[in-house]
């Protein structure tokens, strides 16, 4: 029996407590300890039961409790003070990012991501990609960046993990009641829920829009679970990364195409688009279609406008992590769409292929995003280099170092991840502005002023809190599995609050090598059982539901944790989420990270730990490859950044290195105690890491980098291209087509330099060449000398470029160019000549894929 009508029933808050709704419906509480403490003060047990969800918490508070709280003058005073703080925060619009004043009245940047990790009370994230997106929004809010977010609203989110008695991962999918979350539906002018429509193989699908307030930034989420849709389409937003390949395609069509349509429905007109991973690449296609339909631009002109104002961040160096769809799956959904773009379907598919001529190659979302953006980046310096090599087939004529993919290293939102205790310490010794200005070296440079004893006692309290949390969580796990009383008693005694504690928590993909410690199990157990200097490990993490190899690693660890030798020193915590992560990154002594280089894009969990004074021990991959210091003054490295052809041999070598570092460096440093039982050398490393790494590896610095390197230039590009009825966009498209037509006929000949067998360091080599441009204007090309040291195989080991100048134009179409190159160091030195396209609106000449190299002359 179904009801005729359904109502939302909410508690009747006394007038004095109504400001609680404002505090509950803005995720500012996710990085404001005072607001969370206020809710916890009302009912500690219920707050824990509600998992930090203030809306669900208020809806479950008994009316009697609300009446009592309204009569508590001190509580009411705190409510009003925090509401005033929120109002003050929202009203401050001072921005450190130089957007033009006229561009800050509405969102300039639209940020698209398939997942967001903002708080455990909004479970629409799976791991690092989502947490990074959440931190991006939080820093954009703190910095008053004119940005709006778009994503999908998953009713079952990512799976919740539980283990069978033998340690095998199982998945469950609890259903979220969005009415009980800090989010609200967007209504249209008639008071009905606002929806947008997409087409999936000629079938109409509607999505309603939810609004989520993240400080000063708004996040909009699309939801297809509404009665107007067929049952299978209602499942599009059921699970994050759930279903098969076709479901993934549906989700990405909804995010990209539906997201752009939602922008229009909301009356928002951002000029810059940021695609966070390839999942959202269809956003570029829909923008192109809009400019063609509304502004009557050609496909080429619309593409130039869209690409020139789009930013793309790639996050994975693992091929399997880049979505690829076979042509036969794409056809029902995009053949008609391609016609709307004025493209043959084969030409459309070529936009997503590394080799446009290979008709059997799947359509890759990452390739599409790369082609539809002029601002492409990896998420660490090493990942940028890996990405340039990985995607060089998209620009086959370029050496890997010239592939147009840069790097903006990730960061973490420090106020979210720093513990309450450490935050109080920072308030006393760094000053209150560490939250607003965490990327200022002067602020965190004051970490050296924190007294050793105070820093260490604070850290010890967090370790003790972590041990208490682990024991309680483990007890819950065992009860759920039907454990015996003896096992429950052991759970209450696991870990030592005074022992050296290692944390390892992340996605259990095989390349992250959570089982590296098990390579020599006998040696590992011996280290664990060294009673005078005990160490202990806490593991947490999920394997993808279809990743049986990852599940096997979890099972191996869980079974080792239950052995007599290890059950007090090794623990695996189920159902890793933001809450578990907070306890771990705040309470461990060492954050262990063992990815197989170079497969870790960044690894932000280590940054969160570092911000709490936790030291890192990691392979030199991701962020640690650029953060680590060879003198081990801020933490330790496993190896020296070597890369191996044999993964099994790499695992063996690096596991032995790990054991050696543990035995000879980490453990002795921790247990070397001076006066007052303080590990002075350890504390020195903690302070050095805080002072040197915190100002760099935080999301404020990251967002400011995006603004400076990508957002502002993309905005300026957009504004230049749209004036005078998009004249510049049309001109750029026409110029590009002219380049494409004539480029193959460009010829380089007669490259000449002085005939010298030897030159001195710093001595210029004068070089001339003749160029035939086939009717292309000299100002439309850039002729460069490409020079540098040469390795034993005759390849450039490094390179520098210098522009050659037009010296003479002949009547026969040949032009003479001159320039010079210098060798900065002694050794083998070489040069060649190349030609690139040049246009004042083309920020990166490599983006068009056009280049002409001088050929070897007989």
């Amino acid at each position: 029996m179904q009801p005729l009508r359904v109502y939302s029933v909410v508690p009747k808050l006394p007038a004095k407590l109504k400001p609680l709704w404002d505090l509950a419906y803005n995720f500012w509480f996710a990085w404001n300890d005072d607001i969370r403490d206020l809710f916890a003060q009302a009912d500690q047990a219920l707050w824990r039961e509600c998992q930090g969800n203030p809306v669900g918490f208020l809806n479950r508070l008994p009316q009697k409790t609300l009446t009592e709280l309204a009569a508590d003058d001190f509580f009411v005073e705190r409510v009003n003070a925090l509401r005033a703080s929120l109002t003050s925060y929202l009203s401050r619009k001072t921005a450190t990012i130089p957007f033009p004043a006229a561009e800050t009245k509405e969102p300039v940047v639209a940020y698209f991501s398939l997942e967001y990790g903002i708080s455990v009370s909004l479970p629409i994230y799976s791991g690092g990609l989502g947490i990074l997106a959440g931190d991006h929004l939080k820093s954009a809010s703190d910095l008053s960046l004119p940005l709006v977010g778009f994503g999908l609203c998953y009713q079952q989110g990512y799976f919740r993990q539980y283990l069978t008695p033998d340690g095998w991962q199982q998945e469950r999918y609890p259903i979220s009641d969005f009415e009980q979350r800090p989010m609200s539906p967007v209504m249209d002018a008639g008071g009905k829920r606002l929806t947008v429509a997409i087409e999936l193989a000629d079938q109409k699908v509607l999505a309603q829009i939810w609004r989520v307030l993240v400080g000063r930034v708004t996040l909009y989420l699309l939801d297809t679970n509404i009665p107007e849709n067929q049952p299978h389409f209602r499942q599009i937003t059921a699970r994050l990364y759930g279903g098969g390949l076709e479901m993934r395609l549906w989700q990405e069509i909804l995010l990209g195409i539906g997201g752009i349509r939602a922008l229009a429905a909301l009356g928002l007109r951002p000029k810059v688009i940021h695609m966070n991973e390839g999942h959202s690449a269809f956003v570029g296609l829909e923008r192109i279609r809009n400019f063609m339909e509304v502004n009557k631009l050609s496909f080429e002109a619309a593409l130039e406008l869209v690409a020139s104002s789009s930013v793309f961040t790639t996050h994975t160096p693992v091929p399997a992590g880049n979505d690829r769809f076979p042509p036969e799956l794409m056809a029902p959904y995009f053949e008609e769409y391609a016609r709307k773009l004025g493209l043959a379907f084969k030409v459309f598919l070529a936009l997503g292929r590394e080799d446009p001529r290979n008709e059997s190659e799947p359509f890759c979302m990452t390739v599409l995003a790369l082609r539809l953006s002029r601002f492409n980046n990896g998420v660490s310096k090493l990942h940028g280099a890996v990405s340039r090599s990985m995607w060089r087939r998209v620009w086959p004529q370029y050496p890997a170092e010239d592939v147009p993919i840069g790097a903006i290293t990730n960061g973490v939102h420090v106020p979210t991840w720093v513990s309450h205790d450490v935050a109080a310490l920072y308030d006393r010794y760094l000053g209150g502005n560490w939250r607003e200005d965490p990327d200022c070296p002067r602020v965190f440079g004051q970490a050296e002023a924190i007294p050793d004893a105070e820093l260490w006692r604070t850290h010890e309290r967090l370790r003790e809190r972590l041990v208490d949390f682990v024991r309680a969580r483990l007890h819950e796990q065992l009860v759920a599995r039907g454990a015996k009383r003896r096992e429950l008693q052991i759970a209450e005694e696991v870990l030592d609050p005074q022992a050296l504690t290692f944390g390892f928590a992340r996605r259990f993909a095989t390349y992250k090598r959570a089982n590296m410690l098990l390579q020599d199990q006998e040696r590992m157990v011996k280290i664990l059982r060294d009673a005078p200097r005990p160490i202990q490990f806490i593991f947490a993490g999920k394997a993808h539901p279809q990743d049986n190899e990852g599940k096997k690693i979890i099972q191996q660890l869980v079974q080792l944790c239950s052995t007599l030798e290890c059950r007090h020193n090794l623990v695996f915590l189920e159902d890793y989420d933001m809450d578990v992560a907070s306890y771990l990154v705040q309470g461990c002594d060492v954050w262990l990270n063992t990815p197989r280089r170079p497969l870790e894009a960044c690894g932000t969990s280590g940054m969160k730990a570092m911000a709490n004074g936790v030291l890192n021990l990691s392979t030199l991959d991701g962020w640690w490859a650029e953060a680590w210091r060879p003198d081990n003054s801020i933490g330790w490295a496993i190896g020296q950044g070597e890369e191996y052809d044999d993964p099994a041999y790499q695992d063996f070598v690096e596991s032995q290195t790990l054991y050696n570092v543990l035995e000879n460096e980490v453990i002795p440093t921790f247990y070397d105690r001076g006066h007052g039982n303080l590990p002075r050398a350890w504390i020195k490393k903690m302070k050095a890491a805080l002072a040197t790494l915190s100002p760099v590896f935080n999301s404020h610095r990251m967002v400011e980098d995006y603004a400076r390197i990508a957002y502002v230039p993309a905005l300026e590009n957009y504004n230049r291209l749209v004036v005078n009825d998009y004249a510049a966009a049309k001109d750029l498209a026409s110029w590009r087509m002219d380049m494409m037509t004539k480029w193959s006929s460009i010829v380089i000949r007669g490259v000449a330099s002085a005939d010298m067998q030897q030159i001195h360091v710093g001595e210029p080599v004068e070089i001339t060449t003749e160029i035939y441009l086939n009717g292309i204007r000299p100002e439309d090309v850039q002729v460069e000398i490409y020079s540098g040291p040469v390795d034993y195989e005759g390849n450039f080991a490094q390179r520098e470029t210098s522009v050659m100048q037009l010296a003479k134009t002949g009547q026969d179409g040949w032009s003479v160019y001159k320039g010079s190159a210098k060798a900065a160091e002694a050794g083998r030195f070489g040069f060649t000549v190349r030609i690139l396209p040049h246009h004042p609106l083309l920020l990166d000449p490599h983006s068009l894929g056009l280049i002409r190299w001088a050929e070897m002359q007989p």
Side-chain angles (χ1 to χ4, degrees), residues 48 244 360 480 517 552 655 683 685 735:
R48 285 198 302 269
S360 64
L517 286 166
K552 286 177 184 177
S655 67
I683 296 170
K685 290 179 185 291
W735 172 86

Side-chain angles (χ1 to χ4, degrees), residues 107 111-113 116 124 137 147-153 184-186 194 208-214 217-223 255 259 262-263 266 268:
Y111 184 90
F112 287 80
S113 180
Y116 289 90
I124 57 169
L137 296 191
L147 178 144
V148 62
F150 274 85
L152 303 186
C153 199
S184 55
V186 178
L194 184 65
Q208 65 176 334
I209 307 173
W210 293 87
R211 179 187 289 110
V212 178
L213 301 178
V214 187
V217 165
T218 302
L219 168 64
Y220 293 101
L221 302 174
L222 301 178
D223 170 23
L255 176 64
L263 277 172
L266 291 162
L268 300 175

Side-chain angles (χ1 to χ4, degrees), residues 559-852:
Q559 291 176 351
L560 180 62
C561 291
S562 64
T563 62
L564 183 63
E565 298 88 354
C566 301
R567 64 188 182 189
H568 288 98
N569 302 77
L570 292 183
V571 174
F572 185 92
L573 292 181
E574 292 179 12
D575 204 23
Y576 183 50
D577 63 9
M578 290 182 73
D579 188 38
V580 176
S582 292
Y583 280 96
L584 286 170
V585 300
Q586 293 167 9
C588 290
D589 297 297
V590 178
W591 196 254
L592 179 63
N593 191 28
T594 53
R596 184 180 293 118
R597 178 181 166 122
L599 300 181
E600 181 82 284
C602 187
T604 52
S605 61
M607 301 178 192
K608 302 178 184 90
M610 175 273 299
N612 284 282
V614 176
L615 299 181
N616 277 267
L617 168 59
S618 175
T619 50
L620 291 179
D621 201 4
W623 81 287
W624 197 237
E626 59 192 86
W628 177 71
R629 304 291 184 268
D631 60 0
N632 289 331
S633 60
I634 56 172
W636 297 273
I638 303 168
Q640 299 295 318
E642 302 91 345
E643 295 178 18
Y644 298 76
D645 294 327
D646 183 347
Y649 180 66
Q650 181 175 3
D651 293 352
F652 170 76
V653 170
E654 293 183 342
S655 67
Q656 296 303 307
T657 303
L658 171 58
Y659 298 137
N660 289 335
V661 172
L662 288 176
E663 291 175 322
N664 301 322
E665 298 186 45
V666 181
I667 298 174
T669 306
F670 182 85
Y671 284 106
D672 180 15
R673 303 299 172 98
H675 181 69
N677 197 33
L678 296 177
R680 299 285 183 180
W682 190 280
I683 296 170
K684 184 178 180 181
K685 290 179 185 291
M686 293 171 67
K687 290 183 178 182
L690 288 172
T692 59
L693 303 184
S694 294
V696 179
F697 298 101
N698 67 80
S699 54
H700 278 40
R701 185 274 312 154
M702 175 189 74
V703 169
E704 288 177 330
D705 280 354
Y706 273 110
R708 176 176 50 83
I709 295 171
Y711 295 164
V712 172
L715 172 63
E716 293 171 346
N717 264 13
Y718 181 93
N719 288 336
R720 284 195 295 261
L721 290 170
V722 301
V723 295
N724 297 325
D725 191 29
Y726 301 88
K730 296 172 184 176
D731 176 69
L732 183 59
S734 175
W735 172 86
R736 182 174 181 269
M737 294 302 295
D738 189 50
M739 291 294 105
M740 292 289 187
T741 302
K742 297 177 178 177
W743 194 264
S744 61
S745 299
I746 291 178
V747 180
I748 303 174
R749 75 179 184 188
V751 178
S753 64
D755 188 15
M756 298 180 292
Q757 295 299 313
Q758 290 184 341
I759 58 174
H760 294 101
V761 172
E763 182 180 350
V765 178
E766 302 297 333
I767 300 164
T768 61
T769 187
E770 293 181 284
I771 308 290
Y772 177 73
L773 292 178
N774 188 33
I776 296 174
R777 299 179 305 171
E779 57 265 35
D780 289 337
V781 299
Q782 183 164 292
V783 183
E784 295 180 342
I785 299 169
Y786 189 99
S787 62
V790 177
D791 64 20
Y792 70 96
E793 293 181 330
N795 298 316
F796 285 105
Q798 300 173 25
R799 64 102 171 96
E800 289 187 0
T801 60
S802 55
V803 178
M804 302 185 78
Q805 301 299 323
L806 177 63
K808 183 175 64 174
T809 300
Q811 296 296 322
D812 55 357
W814 288 88
S815 301
V816 176
Y817 283 79
K818 293 184 177 181
S820 65
K822 296 179 182 179
E825 298 176 355
R828 301 180 71 200
F829 175 81
F831 73 85
T832 186
V833 171
R834 70 178 186 181
I835 306 175
L836 295 170
H838 173 76
H839 191 282
L841 293 176
L842 189 69
L843 288 186
D844 187 343
H846 302 92
S847 60
L848 297 188
L850 298 176
I851 192 169
R852 177 68 68 191

Side-chain angles (χ1 to χ4, degrees), residues 112 196-199 252-265 273 275 280-295 299 302-303 306 310 333-334 336-338 340-341 348 351 365 368 372:
F112 287 80
V196 294
I198 60 170
E199 298 75 37
E252 296 183 358
I253 291 172
L254 176 63
L255 176 64
I257 296 176
I260 290 295
R261 294 179 184 180
L263 277 172
I273 297 294
M275 298 172 280
S280 53
F282 291 140
V283 97
L285 293 179
E286 183 66 3
R287 286 185 85 201
I288 291 172
R289 191 193 66 79
N290 274 351
F291 282 120
M292 293 177 67
E293 181 178 299
V294 177
N295 304 104
F299 173 81
L303 184 148
V306 166
S310 294
Y333 302 103
F334 283 99
E336 176 60 27
Y337 196 93
K340 292 179 180 178
L341 296 175
F348 174 89
L351 291 171
M365 296 295 284
L368 177 65
L372 297 185

Side-chain angles (χ1 to χ4, degrees), residues 439-498:
D439 55 334
C440 175
R442 179 189 55 79
V443 172
F444 272 94
Q446 297 175 96
E448 299 288 349
I450 303 174
D452 286 2
E454 199 166 349
L455 178 59
W456 187 246
R457 301 305 176 222
T458 299
H459 179 67
E460 287 193 310
R461 285 197 304 274
L462 292 170
R463 191 192 314 116
E464 291 166 1
R465 188 187 71 153
L466 170 62
V467 170
D468 287 343
F469 171 79
V470 169
R471 289 172 176 173
R473 185 92 172 197
L474 187 58
H475 186 276
E476 292 175 5
Q477 291 177 200
L478 293 172
V479 168
R481 290 186 218 162
K484 298 177 181 178
R485 180 180 298 178
R486 175 59 180 157
E487 292 177 278
L488 297 178
Q489 289 176 338
I490 293 173
E492 295 171 358
E493 299 172 354
V494 299
L495 306 180
D496 177 351
Q498 304 302 317

